Amino acid sequence: MADPGCQLYLVTPPALEPAGFGEDLKAALDAGPVACLQLRLKEAPDDAVRRAADILMPVCHRYDAAFLINDRPDLARELGADGVHIGQEDAGYAEARALVGDDATVGVTCHNSLHLAMEAAEAGADYVAFGAFFQTRTKEPKSKASLETLESWSTATVVPCVAIGGITVENCSPLIRAGADFLAVVGGVWDFPDGPAAAVRAFTGILAERRRA
C-alpha cells in the first residue's frame, strides 16, 4: 500500500452547537481528504457529547473519516465511535483499550516527551501526539514541542505521530518536513477567514505538494 503521506486530523472547537457545526463539518470534508475528526468537548455534560456524536459521526463516516472522542473511552464505546484520544491525566492506555476494544483506535498525548511516546507505543497505542508546536487559543499548553522531537520519532519508529497546537496553513510546512504523519488542526480550520472549506483546500494543496516533493 502506498504511503499516504501526512494527513489532516481535525479537532472540534471546545464548544459548539452540533447542528450548525455539522454544516461546517460537511463543507470541510467536502473540500478535501480528512483522516479523522476528534470530538473534544471537555467541559460539556455527557448528554451534550452524545448529541454531538449523534449528529457529527454519521457525517464523518459519509466521507470515510474516522470519528474519535477525546478523553472518554466509556462514551466512545457506548456511542460506537472509531476510537478515543487520551491525555496523560485521563484514563490510562490499558483501561482505554479494554473499554474500546482491539479494533478501535487509541491515541495518546505525549507532549514533547519521546519517553512517554515510546511507553505508549510499546503498550500498543495506534498513534502518539506531540505538542504544542505553536501558540494556541484552544487551551493552555502543558509543553512546547520541538521539530527535533518529530524528527527523532519519525526516524526511530513506524508508529504514527500527530502534531498539534496552533497549526495553520502558514506554519504547517516545517512539521510536515520534520515527519508528522498527521496535522491536528482546530482554529486553523474552523476560524479560517474564508471558512473551513477554504482552509481544508489550502491544507490539501500543501500536503499534496509535499508528497510530490
Side-chain angles (χ1 to χ4, degrees):
M1 182 180 295
D3 183 353
C6 188
Q7 301 177 74
L8 195 55
Y9 175 133
L10 299 183
V11 182
T12 67
L16 56 85
E17 195 291 305
F21 182 78
E23 295 304 311
D24 286 341
L25 178 61
K26 289 176 189 175
L29 297 181
D30 201 42
V34 171
C36 70
L37 175 76
Q38 181 192 131
L39 180 63
R40 188 178 189 279
L41 301 178
K42 292 181 75 73
E43 306 302 324
D46 289 1
D47 282 347
V49 176
R50 293 184 178 100
R51 178 169 177 265
D54 285 345
I55 292 173
L56 302 180
M57 184 158 48
V59 177
C60 290
H61 290 168
R62 199 175 310 144
Y63 288 88
D64 293 323
F67 184 82
L68 310 181
I69 291 180
N70 179 269
D71 289 357
R72 295 292 300 276
D74 54 336
L75 284 179
R77 176 177 178 172
E78 174 193 326
L79 298 170
D82 299 299
V84 64
H85 179 88
I86 56 173
Q88 291 296 319
E89 292 80 34
D90 302 323
Y93 171 81
E95 179 185 347
R97 177 62 73 192
L99 282 167
V100 300
D102 292 339
D103 294 332
T105 295
V106 179
V108 180
T109 291
C110 297
H111 304 303
N112 194 43
S113 172
L114 291 170
H115 175 71
L116 289 176
M118 193 60 68
E119 286 186 337
E122 289 175 350
D126 295 287
Y127 70 81
V128 298
F130 297 114
F133 285 92
F134 307 104
Q135 285 293 111
T136 173
R137 296 194 304 254
T138 304
K139 66 174 183 176
E140 187 66 31
K142 292 183 171 61
S143 65
K144 178 75 167 66
S146 67
L147 293 178
E148 289 76 14
T149 299
L150 285 178
E151 292 166 349
S152 296
W153 184 258
S154 64
T155 57
T157 177
V158 296
V159 176
C161 63
V162 174
I164 191 168
I167 298 171
T168 66
V169 295
E170 291 82 14
N171 64 23
C172 67
S173 291
L175 303 174
I176 302 169
R177 290 194 296 269
D181 297 289
F182 299 90
L183 300 178
V185 184
V186 192
V189 165
W190 311 120
D191 298 334
F192 195 69
D194 295 326
V200 170
R201 283 192 292 269
F203 273 111
T204 298
I206 294 167
L207 294 171
E209 182 177 344
R210 181 60 190 168
R211 291 186 195 103
R212 292 192 295 268

